[in-house]
Amino acid sequence: MKGSKVHEHEADVPASDLWAIYGTLRAGELLPELLPHVLAKVELISGDGGVGTILQLILPPGIPGLQSYKERFIKVDNENYIKETEAIDGDILKLGFLAYMVRFEIISKGANLSVIRTTIEYEIEDAHPELEAMVSIATLAAAAEKFSEHAKEKKVPASTSS
């Protein structure tokens, strides 16, 4: 069984500022810091943030059967602000997912307005239809919100008094 889930988050931040997080290894550094209940730790296994980079994602305790997995960057499009990752090893595949891919798209809607579109595409063994309930866009939606807040805070000009 194949499926997908999509979330869009509008941010009053330039697309290039968001891509500075999503298009690099910065997202893996920020996520455990900003949302430790979502991701405990990210370890760089190989690569520099480009296609072929492999990360080990270590989840916080509490999700039965899901402690860690490895993902590989399969697409990093710096012109169109699109990044795709796929699970290549670990608990997510051991549970019965045949494929698990996440796509991040940063869409410019103006000088200081962007949309973060996050898509999860997955394929589940027919013997495990219950796994579909485990596919949640909520953690990536929370990350989009935190990343956009972080990008906005980093660009706030120093206040001036008159």
Side-chain angles (χ1 to χ4, degrees), residues 73-129:
F73 295 2
I74 57 173
K75 180 176 188 173
V76 180
D77 183 339
N78 291 313
E79 287 182 27
N80 296 303
Y81 297 158
I82 300 170
K83 180 189 227 173
E84 295 178 350
T85 69
E86 68 177 352
I88 59 166
D89 187 29
D91 295 340
I92 209 159
L93 299 176
K94 290 176 188 170
L95 287 172
F97 285 92
L98 299 172
Y100 194 91
M101 191 269 297
V102 179
R103 178 183 308 109
F104 303 100
E105 298 171 82
I106 311 301
I107 304 157
S108 179
K109 295 288 186 180
N112 289 306
L113 186 61
S114 306
V115 171
I116 302 167
R117 180 184 299 141
T118 309
T119 305
I120 299 173
E121 293 181 3
Y122 57 91
E123 186 174 355
I124 301 169
E125 293 176 358
D126 290 339
H128 296 285

Side-chain angles (χ1 to χ4, degrees), residues 20-98:
I21 296 171
Y22 279 96
T24 66
L25 294 171
R26 188 73 180 123
E29 296 166 358
L30 280 176
L31 202 50
E33 178 185 321
L34 299 175
L35 292 168
H37 62 284
V38 170
L39 196 61
K41 187 176 180 183
V42 176
E43 295 175 355
L44 177 64
I45 303 299
S46 65
D48 61 2
V51 171
T53 295
I54 297 175
L55 301 178
Q56 176 86 29
L57 286 75
I58 300 160
L59 303 161
I63 305 170
L66 199 54
Q67 296 173 343
S68 71
Y69 69 95
K70 289 181 185 173
E71 71 176 15
R72 175 177 36 226
F73 295 2
I74 57 173
K75 180 176 188 173
V76 180
D77 183 339
N78 291 313
E79 287 182 27
N80 296 303
Y81 297 158
I82 300 170
K83 180 189 227 173
E84 295 178 350
T85 69
E86 68 177 352
I88 59 166
D89 187 29
D91 295 340
I92 209 159
L93 299 176
K94 290 176 188 170
L95 287 172
F97 285 92
L98 299 172

Side-chain angles (χ1 to χ4, degrees), residues 11-28:
D12 51 351
V13 178
S16 59
D17 291 358
L18 291 169
W19 188 246
I21 296 171
Y22 279 96
T24 66
L25 294 171
R26 188 73 180 123

